Amino acid sequence: MKIHRSADYEAMSRQAALLVAGQISARPDLVLGLATGSSPVGMYRQLTEWYRDGILDFSHVHSVNLDEYVGLSPDHPQSYRRFMQDNLFNHINIPVENTNIPNGMAEDLQAECDRYDKVISGFGRIDLQILGIGLDGHIGFNEPAGALSAGTHVVDLTESTIEANSRFFEEASQVPRRALTMGVGPILQARRIVLLASGRDKAQIIADAFLGPVTLQVPASLLQLHPHVDLFGDEAALALL
Ligand code: F6R
């Protein structure tokens, strides 16, 4: 793992965006695994700026997002489809048909999981997977558990995740209890992984994930087994590394 230590969130976002931009420039048809949440927003903003400046072209990029809440329609303000449109896709030239996010409104959720796995396997491998990390060590919505699924699946969100994500909703009771998430299979098979972590509240879980044992109780600790992880963090998040 390579650690990229930045003074603050803005610097971290710029450093990570530089890596992503370099990968897209080297390989215009990159398959990009994307995350939502607050960690990648600054990076998306920077990538958008470079697109506006004519430095980046997303017209051949394909994207696969990690997850989506069950029961939120694509245009719901807190859906991850809406998040991606608002924070990235609406501001760059990626064709919407090149973007993939699980459908949390699917009537048959298992069929949707199977469909999503086919989309991912159709790409072969994800070239570059962007990740954040949950306070409980989740990646995507692969929550701590006795066993993890390799493929896309429906997950019951932990209380820790519901509480952490309630900041985006008016109240915690509005946070969906379930989500669809990519499994750990395609994440660990990605050619390269960028993990973003910012803020003091991430320091302990970052230390647990990268200095502690590899355990399913800290799903991000599996990243210790991956040969090409770039961890971008600000001083606060990396304080215990
Ligand atoms: C989001 C996702 C989650 C977040 C994680 C951290 O698509 O899969 O794993 O990356 O919950 O969220 P933030 O960045 O908001 O702290």
Side-chain angles (χ1 to χ4, degrees):
M1 182 203 23
K2 190 164 176 206
I3 301 174
H4 306 258
R5 208 177 272 268
S6 301
D8 55 25
Y9 180 81
E10 284 311 315
M12 173 195 84
S13 302
R14 191 181 157 80
Q15 287 305 312
L18 269 173
L19 187 151
V20 176
Q23 295 292 301
I24 295 172
S25 302
R27 188 165 181 173
D29 61 347
L30 198 78
V31 179
L32 197 49
L34 295 174
T36 61
S38 30
S39 306
V41 169
M43 184 185 81
Y44 293 154
R45 207 178 299 130
Q46 181 64 74
L47 291 171
T48 298
E49 251 178 56
W50 287 335
Y51 164 70
R52 284 205 192 111
D53 293 345
I55 297 168
L56 273 179
D57 174 21
F58 292 83
S59 60
H60 299 291
V61 170
H62 286 79
S63 69
V64 271
N65 261 79
L66 286 165
D67 37 26
E68 178 60 283
Y69 288 119
V70 168
L72 295 195
S73 64
D75 56 355
H76 187 285
Q78 302 309 336
S79 79
Y80 285 171
R81 163 56 75 178
R82 176 77 178 270
F83 176 100
M84 289 310 304
Q85 294 299 142
D86 290 351
N87 286 286
L88 187 65
F89 299 156
N90 286 347
H91 312 293
I92 59 174
N93 65 338
I94 190 167
V96 70
E97 60 274 19
N98 286 12
T99 67
N100 297 280
I101 300 183
N103 175 11
M105 292 295 280
E107 267 181 36
D108 183 342
L109 291 174
Q110 187 51 52
E112 175 59 10
C113 292
D114 296 345
R115 181 195 72 80
Y116 206 63
D117 280 337
K118 284 203 188 92
V119 168
I120 299 167
S121 59
F123 290 126
R125 280 165 76 182
I126 293 168
D127 292 311
L128 180 61
Q129 177 65 55
I130 310 299
L131 294 176
I133 182 171
L135 291 173
D136 61 2
H138 68 224
I139 46 176
F141 274 139
N142 294 282
E143 300 278 28
L148 294 180
S149 302
T152 304
H153 57 284
V154 183
V155 64
D156 291 322
L157 300 177
T158 62
E159 282 309 316
S160 153
T161 299
I162 290 167
E163 195 191 316
N165 289 7
S166 65
R167 69 192 194 276
F168 300 113
F169 293 79
E170 276 169 28
E171 48 183 274
S173 64
Q174 293 177 351
V175 184
R177 267 37 193 174
R178 292 191 303 161
L180 294 175
T181 184
M182 189 189 288
V184 289
I187 297 175
L188 293 175
Q189 284 159 20
R191 289 178 214 282
R192 192 165 184 178
I193 294 177
V194 161
L195 177 68
L196 294 157
S198 163
R200 186 68 181 86
D201 59 346
K202 292 288 171 73
Q204 187 59 56
I205 195 65
I206 285 289
D208 292 348
F210 290 101
L211 300 179
V214 176
T215 164
L216 302 186
Q217 293 306 320
V218 182
S221 68
L222 292 173
L223 299 176
Q224 291 183 38
L225 305 176
H226 192 280
H228 208 165
V229 176
D230 289 90
L231 167 60
F232 289 88
D234 56 18
E235 289 291 354
L238 304 187
L240 303 179
L241 272 200

